[in-house]
């Protein structure tokens, strides 16, 4: 009797899901205003998405609710500005990766290794990532969707739910670090221009609040202009790099090459130089993450199945090249590491600029950096909000109906944008009580990102090896190189995941402790709790709407 009832319930559930998928496709047809009998692509393109986009959305069982305002160039601009690699390397290098672990020279070794070897960022996040999911399933959900679609059936639901939470955590932590940088750099500039000013942590937090409010206003009320704005900022990103590099090359005092490439010092208390290097690698990793931000706006990019792949390739190549040049130049210009670390502003960059240009020149350069870092934060909020919107659309979060609501006139997930900004403001409060908040935030970002990447890579790798015939057809493929590249990417992600939990120095106290482990475990427990209480029943996983799904 019980078996019969289970069968009836299962058939009823599958019927409901199939009806839901059919209604989704019907709603999409109403949204795009096209007639299937037409056979022409003109209507799709006029509405910002191609026939390929519609085919991808139909295969995934998703409704086209957001306008596709991004084209290939604006998508590349968006991802390049979001990463802000050379800007981050200049301003993020303060206490993280220099004083507490290793002098900055070691980061050249790490960045060179990361740029010239097939690490996870080259294999997955930057160059070959599209083969893992973007080309197969170009959805704002990203990693949790790919886990749901490509994991072994018995693990799809749970793993997808857990990775959805982890991905949301990662992007929210990453978004928080941008306004934090902008706010604290403003304070540093105040110390340069007003010697009587004494920065306070609570003031930095108030600056974060102001930055977040401005980001919310722009991302909601100026959304249609964002692609154009981002394109302009892309040129500022490139030409700003050229201007600053030339100034540092021509006017700044320099170290010798011997100092930069052969002299190292271990100041983190670790028992070997190699261990200190591994602990200090987070700075180099952090400078080149987030090219997967293009995936989270894939439902807003025309011809996303191919455009997102090109976007991540070119953003990685461009930012990796600019970042490497800036980092080497910057290190040549730090003639005294101790003086740079003890600069009253708290930023070694300002020490370098003081030795290079006048105060007005310093203000001009820092103002440009502030604009570009603000643009990166604005882009980060767009990707972060789309990620949580997609997860809520699949009923993975509390109050999913409210979070997943799309404004009927703006065609934007306004509630998700507001929630993302609110979470960032709450995280900024950490800064009031602890001056190691930034390190904790970016470590949390990296830990979560690595785990989500490792899981999604692993699921695809399993599918590649055991059931390659079940992989969807796509316009981007790694071919025979897929298995070794996926395996290499997953291996590096596991290694980076391990080191992201380590503190900068030893012995450890409350100040130097890496709080990312506490925050990560807390969110993991909360997500598992929600899964047990509600998620197990409410969350089915996006795979159930995928065309051809037949259940477990």
């Amino acid at each position: 009797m019980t078996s019969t009832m289970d069968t009836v319930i299962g058939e009823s559930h599958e019927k409901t899901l199939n009806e839901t998928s059919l209604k989704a496709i019907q709603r999409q047809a109403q949204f795009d205003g096209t007639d299937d009998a037409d056979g022409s692509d003109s209507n799709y393109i006029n509405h910002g998405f191609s026939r390929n986009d519609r085919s991808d959305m139909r295969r995934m069982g998703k409704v086209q609710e957001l306008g596709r305002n991004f084209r290939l160039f604006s998508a590349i601009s968006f991802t390049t500005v979001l990463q802000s690699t050379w800007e981050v390397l200049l301003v993020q290098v303060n206490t993280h990766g220099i004083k507490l672990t290793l002098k900055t020279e070691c980061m050249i070794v790490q960045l060179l290794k990361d740029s010239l070897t097939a690490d996870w960022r080259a294999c997955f996040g930057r160059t070959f990532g599209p083969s893992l999911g973007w080309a197969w399933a170009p959805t704002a959900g990203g990693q949790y969707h790919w886990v749901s679609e490509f994991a072994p059936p018995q693990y799809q639901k749970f793993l997808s739910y857990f990775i959805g939470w982890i991905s949301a955590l990662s992007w929210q932590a990453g978004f928080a670090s941008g306004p934090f940088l902008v706010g604290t750099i403003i304070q540093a500039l105040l110390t340069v221009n007003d010697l009587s000013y004494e920065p306070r942590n609570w003031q930095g937090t108030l600056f974060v609040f102001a930055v977040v409010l401005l980001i919310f206003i722009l991302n909601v009320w100026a959304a249609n202009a964002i692609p154009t704005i981002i394109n302009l900022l892309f040129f500022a990103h490139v030409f700003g790099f050229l201007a600053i590099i030339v100034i540092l090359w021509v006017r700044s005092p320099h170290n010798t090459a011997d100092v930069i490439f052969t002299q190292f010092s271990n100041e983190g208390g670790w028992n070997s130089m190699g261990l200190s290097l591994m602990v200090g690698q987070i700075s180099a990793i952090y400078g080149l993450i987030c090219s997967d931000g293009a995936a989270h706006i894939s439902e807003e990019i025309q011809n996303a199945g191919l455009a997102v792949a090109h976007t991540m390739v070119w953003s990685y190549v461009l930012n990796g090249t600019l970042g490497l040049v800036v980092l080497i130049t910057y290190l040549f210009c730090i003639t005294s590491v101790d003086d740079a670390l003890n600069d009253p502003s708290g930023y070694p960059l300002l020490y370098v600029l003081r030795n290079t240009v006048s105060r007005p020149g310093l203000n001009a350069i820092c103002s440009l950096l502030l604009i570009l870092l603000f643009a990166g934060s604005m882009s980060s909020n767009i990707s972060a909000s789309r990620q949580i919107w997609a997860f809520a659309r699949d009923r993975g979060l509390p109050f999913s109906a409210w979070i997943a609501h799309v404004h009927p006139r703006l065609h934007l997930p306004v509630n998700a944008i507001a929630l993302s900004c609110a979470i960032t403001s709450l995280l900024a409060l950490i800064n009031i009580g602890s001056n190691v908040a930034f390190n904790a935030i970016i470590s949390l970002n990296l830990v979560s990102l690595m785990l989500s990447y490792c899981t999604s890579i692993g699921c695809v790798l399993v599918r590649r090896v055991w059931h390659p015939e079940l992989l969807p057809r796509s316009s981007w493929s790694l071919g025979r190189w897929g298995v070794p590249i996926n395996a290499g990417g997953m291996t590096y992600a596991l290694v980076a995941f391990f080191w992201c939990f380590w503190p900068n120095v030893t012995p450890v106290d409350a100040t130097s402790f890496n709080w990312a482990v506490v925050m990560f475990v807390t969110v993991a427990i909360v997500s598992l709790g929600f899964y047990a209480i509600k998620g197990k029943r409410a969350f089915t996983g996006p795979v159930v709407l995928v065309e051809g799904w037949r259940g477990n």
Side-chain angles (χ1 to χ4, degrees), residues 81-98 104 106-112 114-115 121 181 185 237 241 244-245 248 280-289 316 318-331 334 347-350 352 369 372-373 438 442:
V81 170
L82 190 159
Q83 287 180 292
S84 300
T85 299
W86 68 263
E87 297 93 335
V88 168
L89 288 174
L90 283 179
V91 300
Q92 182 226 337
V93 180
N94 44 23
T95 59
H96 190 77
I98 303 181
T104 51
C106 283
M107 283 190 292
I108 282 189
V109 178
Q110 179 63 30
L111 191 58
L112 283 170
D114 291 345
S115 300
R121 286 169 291 140
L181 271 177
I185 292 172
H237 172 80
F241 157 81
I244 293 176
I245 282 296
L248 293 178
Q281 70 179 313
I282 294 178
S283 295
I285 297 175
Y286 183 73
L288 271 173
I289 61 173
Y316 178 82
L318 176 62
N319 272 339
T321 303
L322 300 186
L324 186 60
V325 173
V326 162
L327 184 57
I328 295 176
T329 300
Y330 185 34
L331 297 181
I334 302 179
Y347 282 91
L349 174 64
L350 270 65
V352 171
L369 287 172
L372 293 173
L373 289 169
F438 178 62
I442 68 166

Side-chain angles (χ1 to χ4, degrees), residues 280-301:
Q281 70 179 313
I282 294 178
S283 295
I285 297 175
Y286 183 73
L288 271 173
I289 61 173
C290 293
S291 65
D292 65 305
H296 298 297
I297 63 164
S298 59
E299 294 181 36
E300 298 168 73
I301 300 176

Side-chain angles (χ1 to χ4, degrees), residues 268-317:
W270 302 104
N271 57 15
S272 71
M273 188 66 70
L275 181 58
S276 187
L277 172 62
M278 296 306 294
V279 171
Q281 70 179 313
I282 294 178
S283 295
I285 297 175
Y286 183 73
L288 271 173
I289 61 173
C290 293
S291 65
D292 65 305
H296 298 297
I297 63 164
S298 59
E299 294 181 36
E300 298 168 73
I301 300 176
Q302 182 177 342
N303 199 20
L306 188 59
V308 172
H310 287 290
T311 293
M312 296 193 315
V313 169
W314 289 112
S315 64
Y316 178 82
V317 170

Side-chain angles (χ1 to χ4, degrees), residues 46 68 161 169 171 291 300 318 321-322 379 440 456 502 543:
N46 288 338
R68 292 186 182 263
Y161 185 86
L169 165 67
W171 272 98
S291 65
E300 298 168 73
L318 176 62
T321 303
L322 300 186
S379 301
S456 56
W502 284 56
V543 69

Side-chain angles (χ1 to χ4, degrees), residues 164-226:
W165 272 82
I166 293 301
S167 297
L169 165 67
S170 172
W171 272 98
Q172 291 308 311
F175 170 45
S177 66
F180 183 92
L181 271 177
V182 173
T184 53
I185 292 172
I186 293 174
Q187 287 185 292
L189 275 178
L190 289 175
T191 64
V192 171
N193 292 277
D194 183 359
L195 298 179
S196 65
Y197 174 70
E198 295 183 6
R200 297 287 186 268
N201 286 359
W202 64 267
Q203 295 169 343
T205 298
L206 291 180
F207 280 124
V208 172
F209 291 164
V211 171
V212 169
L213 178 61
L214 184 56
I215 287 174
F216 175 78
I217 292 172
L218 289 174
N219 281 344
V220 172
W221 303 111
N224 290 334
I226 290 296

